[in-house]
Amino acid sequence: MKASARIAAASACLLGASIAAAADLTVSVRDLGGAPIEDAVVFVYEASGKFAPPKEPAVMDQIDKTFVPRVLAILAGTKVRFPNKDDIHHHVYSFSKARKFDLPLYKGEPTDPIAFETPGLAKLGCNIHDWMMGYVLILENPYFAKTAKDGTAHLKNVPAGTYKLALWSDRRKEPVEQALKTVSIGKDEKVSFKLAFGPLKLPKPPAVKAYK
Amino acid sequence: MKTALLIALLASAPAGASKFDDVESSSKIPAWLKVSGLVDGRAYTAGREDSWLRQGTGRLRYGGSNGHDAARLSLSQASLVLDADLWSKASFHLHTNLTTDPPADHSPIGIFEAFLQADRKYYGTGVRARAGALMPLLSWEHPDGAWSTRYTLTPSAIGSWVGEDVRVFGVEAVAERPIVKPVVGRFTFGTFIGGDQIGRLLWYRSWALHDYQADIAARYSTPNGTIRPFSEIDGRAGYYVRGDVDILEQLAQVGAGYWTNNGHNGQGRGAGGPVALPGPPVPGPGLPGPNLIGADAEAYRTEVQHIGAKAEWKRLTVITQTMKVTIQRANGGPIDWSDAFLLASYQWKKWRASARYDRFWATNLDYGFAWTLFGAYDFDVRNQLAAEWVYLSARPGEPVFPRSQVDRLFQINYRLRF
C-alpha cells in the first residue's frame, strides 16, 4: 500500500472514531408528581477543552412587556442582543454577579450587544415594568439544552466520556450541585431528572396600569 | 441601620450557593414578600430663611439659620416598602419613611401608606381596588417606588402639597379598558374619612416646594397652632373622581379629576353647627401675621380640581398640570389657591436633565413663581447622583402682606434604590 493510501485509510479511521465518540443525549425533566418541567436547562457540569463562543449574537427580545425567551442559555463569551419590539420604552438591567449591566430607556435595538463572559446566572429586569423577569444562564461548555413543554431536552454531539450532568431551573432553590447526575456518553442515550420544583411564577402584569 | 440590615438580608445567600443560583430567590426573604425602598442622602446650601418645616418663613425643604445661609448634610428620605402577596390577586402594601428633617415636634419615622390591594381583569376591563391609608392619584411627578420623583428631586408646588397634606383613609376603585386602539381609558373613584383639615396648611403658608412626605399621623406645629390635616372632625365622608386617557401608553396621557373632603365648615368644636371663621385669613410664616385661620379642631370644606398631561417622545418627557384648591369659609366666600407647572425632562443614556417652571397664586393673598433645574447621572438603576437648584419668588398680596420673599436652594443628592 502506498503511503498516501495508508494516510487516507488512517484518516478515515480517525474520522470514524471521532464521529463514533460524539453522541446525543435525551434528558427528561419532571417533578415528583411526574409533570414535565419546561424552561429547565440541562448541561454538562464540567468538560475539558476551550470552547469558542458563536460569532452570531444570541437574542433576548422584549415582546408585549415580556422577555422572550424567558430563559436563555448561552456559552460564556456569547454576545446577546436585546431588541425591544414593543411600542414603548424598556430599561433592561441585571444586577447579577455574573453580568451587571443596564440599558437605559430605549426603543428598538440598543447600539451594541452585551457580552456575557463569566459563567453563572444573570437575572434580568425592566426598570419601567417591574414584573418583567428573564434569565440568562452562562455556561462553560457548549453541551447544554433547554427543556421544551414536554420536559425533554436534547444535548447534541457530546464527546464520549463520563460526565456529571447538571440541571438549572428558576423553580428550584437548591444549588445545581445538589442534583448532579453521572452519565456515560456513548452508553446512555436517555437520562431523567425527577426532582422537587417550586410553583411556576410567570411575569404578572398588573390588571390596571400604574400611573407611570 | 434598618436599611443596612435590609441590604445585608437581600444580599445573603445560603452557604455553598452555586454561581448558577438565583441569589435573590435563595435569600431569606420569602417569595411572597417583596422588599424595596430607597435612601436619599443630601448635601445642600440654602438661603437665609429657615424652612417652614422648622417654623421658619422659607418655603423650601431646607433653609438658612438665624438669618444666615446654611450648608448642611441631611438624610432626606429613607423608605422601606413591603409588598406581601396575600393570595393570587391580593396584596398588602406598606410604605414607611425615615428622615432626619421632620417637621418641628414631629417623629422622624412614620407610615406613608398602608393598604390592601386586589386587581384582576373582567372581560377585558382591568379593575383594581385599594383599601386603607392611601395616596390618591393627584401627582404626575411620582412614578417610581416609594412615591419618589423621577424628573427632579423637588416636586412642583402641586406635588409638594400633595405629599405634605393629602392622604385618605378609605377605599378606591380603578377601572381601565381599551376604548379604540391604541387609546385606553381609565376611571377612578374613591371615598374616605379623615382629611377635614386638608388645605389648612395652604392657608397658613401658601404654596411651597419641597420633597417632604407626610406620614399618616402628620402634624404641623406652627406658632399659631397645630395643623392635623388627616383628622376626621365632622363625620362626613369625602370622595374623589378622576378620568384618564392614555394614547399609545407612554406617548401621551391626559387626566383630570375632582377631590373634596366634603367638610362641614367650622364643625367639630363641640357645640353643633358651623362657626364663623375669622377673616380675612392671615397666613403664617411666609406671610407673618397674628392669626391662623380657624382653630385646631375645626373642619374645613376643601375642594380640589386638577387637570394634567404627560407626553413622552423619544428621550423627552413633558408634563404639565394645573390645580385649584378651594377652601370654603363660613363667611367671606371661598379662597382659591392655584398652581400650574410645565416640566421638560430629557434623558440621554445615563444622564438626565430637567427644567420646570411653577406659577402659583391665591386670591388676593399670594403670587409667585419657581424655577427648578435638575441634572442626574445614573450609575445603574439603583444608584443615582443628582444636583438641583430651586429658586422661588413669592409676593404676597398687598396691602395686607407687603413683604416679598425669595428662597434659594442648591442640593446634591445620592439616591440608592433597593
Side-chain angles (χ1 to χ4, degrees), chain B residues 42 44 46 49 51 54 60-64 74 76 101 409 411:
Chain B
R42 197 164 294 181
Y44 66 85
E49 307 286 1
S51 170
R54 280 162 291 284
L60 303 179
R61 173 87 189 255
Y62 305 107
S74 166
S76 54
D101 295 290
L409 173 65
Q411 47 191 356

Side-chain angles (χ1 to χ4, degrees), chain B residues 134-210:
Chain B
L134 310 169
M135 171 59 83
L137 300 161
L138 291 169
S139 170
W140 288 76
E141 298 172 276
H142 295 83
D144 289 333
W147 207 70
S148 57
T149 51
R150 178 183 299 172
Y151 311 101
T152 55
L153 294 173
T154 303
S156 65
I158 292 172
S160 302
W161 177 68
V162 171
E164 77 193 9
D165 207 22
V166 180
R167 210 66 39 81
V168 299
F169 303 91
V171 293
E172 175 196 89
V174 184
E176 174 184 290
R177 69 170 293 127
I179 302 171
V180 179
K181 199 175 180 181
V183 179
V184 172
R186 189 163 52 250
F187 180 76
T188 304
F189 174 78
T191 183
F192 60 92
I193 57 170
D196 279 345
Q197 293 201 337
I198 287 177
R200 188 176 166 200
L201 199 54
L202 280 179
W203 206 309
Y204 163 69
R205 181 214 55 204
S206 195
W207 295 103
L209 271 77
H210 62 86

Side-chain angles (χ1 to χ4, degrees), chain B residues 37-376:
Chain B
L38 64 81
V39 180
D40 268 6
R42 197 164 294 181
Y44 66 85
T45 173
R48 285 177 286 182
E49 307 286 1
D50 198 2
S51 170
W52 66 275
L53 283 159
R54 280 162 291 284
Q55 300 189 341
T57 58
R59 298 201 199 189
L60 303 179
R61 173 87 189 255
Y62 305 107
S65 179
N66 299 320
H68 298 286
D69 289 2
R72 295 195 190 96
L73 298 174
S74 166
L75 175 66
S76 54
Q77 182 178 338
S79 299
L80 178 65
V81 181
L82 304 177
D83 287 284
D85 289 335
L86 300 180
W87 54 92
S88 66
K89 295 288 182 186
S91 59
F92 177 71
H93 175 88
L94 176 68
H95 172 182
T96 57
N97 278 346
L98 165 73
T99 179
T100 55
D101 295 290
D105 304 326
H106 193 56
S107 167
I109 190 165
I111 294 173
F112 180 79
E113 279 185 308
F115 58 80
L116 289 164
Q117 175 175 310
D119 70 333
R120 64 178 303 172
K121 285 211 166 189
Y122 297 96
Y123 305 105
T125 300
V127 178
R128 184 183 76 183
R130 300 193 294 170
L134 310 169
M135 171 59 83
L137 300 161
L138 291 169
S139 170
W140 288 76
E141 298 172 276
H142 295 83
D144 289 333
W147 207 70
S148 57
T149 51
R150 178 183 299 172
Y151 311 101
T152 55
L153 294 173
T154 303
S156 65
I158 292 172
S160 302
W161 177 68
V162 171
E164 77 193 9
D165 207 22
V166 180
R167 210 66 39 81
V168 299
F169 303 91
V171 293
E172 175 196 89
V174 184
E176 174 184 290
R177 69 170 293 127
I179 302 171
V180 179
K181 199 175 180 181
V183 179
V184 172
R186 189 163 52 250
F187 180 76
T188 304
F189 174 78
T191 183
F192 60 92
I193 57 170
D196 279 345
Q197 293 201 337
I198 287 177
R200 188 176 166 200
L201 199 54
L202 280 179
W203 206 309
Y204 163 69
R205 181 214 55 204
S206 195
W207 295 103
L209 271 77
H210 62 86
D211 61 342
Y212 173 69
Q213 297 182 357
D215 59 59
I216 58 176
R219 189 185 60 157
Y220 299 101
S221 296
T222 75
N224 297 325
T226 301
I227 299 172
R228 294 180 176 83
F230 311 139
S231 51
E232 177 56 49
I233 296 169
D234 60 8
R236 290 154 59 114
Y239 64 93
Y240 56 98
V241 293
R242 171 172 171 154
D244 287 84
V245 172
D246 300 350
I247 302 165
L248 265 179
E249 191 160 340
Q250 291 170 329
L251 182 68
Q253 301 175 37
V254 180
Y258 172 79
W259 179 102
T260 177
N261 62 5
N262 200 22
H264 192 176
N265 286 349
Q267 184 168 317
R269 189 171 274 184
V275 296
L277 301 180
V282 182
L287 321 162
N291 301 320
L292 175 66
I293 175 179
D296 295 350
E298 291 177 2
Y300 301 88
R301 181 179 180 85
T302 302
E303 295 169 286
V304 179
Q305 298 167 67
H306 59 99
I307 182 167
K310 174 181 172 183
E312 288 187 2
W313 186 70
K314 294 193 174 177
R315 297 183 177 89
L316 179 68
T317 301
V318 177
I319 300 175
T320 183
Q321 186 179 14
T322 182
M323 177 179 280
K324 184 170 81 172
V325 181
T326 303
I327 302 182
Q328 302 284 346
R329 294 184 294 175
N331 60 347
I335 298 285
D336 294 334
W337 275 264
S338 302
D339 178 76
F341 74 83
L342 177 65
L343 178 149
S345 183
Y346 188 83
Q347 182 169 21
W348 183 73
K349 295 190 176 177
K350 292 173 180 270
W351 297 88
R352 178 180 288 281
S354 305
R356 186 186 56 227
Y357 178 70
D358 270 80
R359 180 169 282 258
F360 52 84
W361 61 97
T363 314
N364 296 325
L365 290 175
D366 191 24
Y367 171 84
F369 67 91
W371 278 102
T372 304
L373 300 177
F374 171 87

Side-chain angles (χ1 to χ4, degrees), chain B residues 20-31:
Chain B
F20 299 111
D21 284 347
D22 175 1
V23 174
E24 287 181 33
S25 296
S26 50
S27 72
K28 291 168 186 168
I29 297 174

